[in-house]
Amino acid sequence: MPLLLVSGPLLSGCRNEPEQTAAQKLSQQMAQRLRETRECAGCDLTGASLEGADLEGARLTGARLEDAKLSRARLRNADLSGANLSGADARGADLRGARLDGAWFSHVKFQGALLEGADLRTVKELESANFEGANLRGINLEQGSFQGPEGPFRRTEASHAYAVSTGGGWLVRADLSGARLRYAVLTRCNLEGAILRGADLRDAYLIESNLQGADTQDAQLSGATWEDGNKCAAGSVGSCRRKSK
């Protein structure tokens, strides 16, 4: 029986070793260009090493930053609109003032990152990023969601009750002081030890979330659906007063 060799689109994604090496070299060239000019809109920076790079105000609209190494990078006021950061390591990175419209955050490591005041309402796959210990003060997530793509009550074989794969965000010890979270879906999120002082959580959904040790001082909770499924009464501030039936 003759051997059938399949060609065309099915193999278009395959790369041999020289092609991979060329792609890596091009990525590093792009990274060097970015460091020098802070201009790299639409660039392919997949896997690029940019640890600690000073990229303040950089133009990275539509850039591919999958698996990029961005730990401790300075990205203040950078334009990351439509950029794909899937799998990137951005631990300790400074993204204050960065434009993030339509950016992809799938499985990004943001532990200890600075995202104070960020507008996250249109960020894609936000729920699968790790924000442990991150500065999220004053973020805007009104009517947004940390809910997983298949719904908040998705059942999986995850080893931890509040693992990202169960549909909620990982926000352990994150600082959400003054965050705008009205109508936000925070179902099954892990908010253990999170700081929610003065946050606007009116009408937010916190069903089955982990709020153990969370600081909700001065948080506005009127109409919020609490972790146990009960509604908070009007005028609830700092703690959820159960709505009388």
Side-chain angles (χ1 to χ4, degrees):
M1 184 175 181
L3 178 65
L4 179 62
L5 297 177
V6 180
S7 61
L10 289 176
L11 298 178
S12 62
C14 299
R15 283 182 177 174
N16 57 34
E17 191 172 337
E19 287 175 331
Q20 289 177 337
T21 303
Q24 291 168 357
K25 186 177 292 186
L26 180 60
S27 178
Q28 289 309 313
Q29 288 174 350
M30 291 286 188
Q32 185 58 35
R33 170 187 156 189
L34 174 61
R35 288 174 184 271
E36 294 171 355
T37 68
R38 300 188 187 180
E39 288 279 338
C40 214
C43 287
D44 187 348
L45 293 157
T46 302
S49 297
L50 292 160
E51 297 101 326
D54 185 355
L55 304 172
E56 182 167 0
R59 196 163 70 93
L60 286 159
T61 52
R64 293 188 59 184
L65 289 154
E66 295 104 312
D67 301 315
K69 299 169 182 64
L70 296 163
S71 58
R72 305 179 309 283
R74 183 179 172 87
L75 286 156
R76 292 192 72 167
N77 303 313
D79 190 347
L80 287 156
S81 303
N84 191 340
L85 286 84
S86 298
D89 182 352
R91 288 176 290 183
D94 187 349
L95 288 98
R96 288 174 291 179
R99 186 172 177 180
L100 303 168
D101 305 330
W104 292 79
F105 277 8
S106 176
H107 298 94
V108 180
K109 297 175 183 176
F110 278 124
Q111 293 99 311
L114 305 176
L115 291 116
E116 188 171 355
D119 189 339
L120 302 177
R121 290 174 295 175
T122 63
V123 169
K124 297 176 174 64
E125 299 193 24
L126 182 65
E127 73 287 335
S128 61
N130 188 335
F131 292 100
E132 183 170 354
N135 181 347
L136 298 166
R137 290 187 176 194
I139 63 164
N140 189 350
L141 195 63
E142 285 190 3
Q143 301 184 51
S145 172
F146 271 110
Q147 175 181 316
E150 295 178 29
F153 302 107
R154 181 165 83 240
R155 300 302 180 189
T156 69
E157 296 179 2
S159 59
H160 193 286
Y162 296 95
V164 168
S165 59
T166 62
W170 191 268
L171 296 154
V172 175
R173 295 187 298 279
D175 189 345
L176 290 146
S177 303
R180 296 167 62 183
L181 300 165
R182 190 169 190 188
Y183 295 110
V185 178
L186 301 168
T187 305
R188 292 185 69 83
C189 285
N190 192 344
L191 289 151
E192 184 176 352
I195 302 170
L196 291 157
R197 289 191 177 195
D200 186 353
L201 285 155
R202 289 175 294 168
D203 303 299
Y205 294 87
L206 291 148
I207 301 171
E208 293 192 17
S209 284
N210 180 8
L211 288 157
Q212 185 177 355
D215 184 351
T216 58
Q217 182 177 331
D218 298 324
Q220 299 178 57
L221 298 165
S222 296
T225 304
W226 205 239
E227 54 186 331
D228 57 5
N230 287 311
K231 281 261 190 184
C232 301
S236 291
V237 176
S239 63
C240 180
R241 291 190 294 104
R242 299 301 189 267
K243 191 173 182 179
S244 57
K245 297 181 180 178

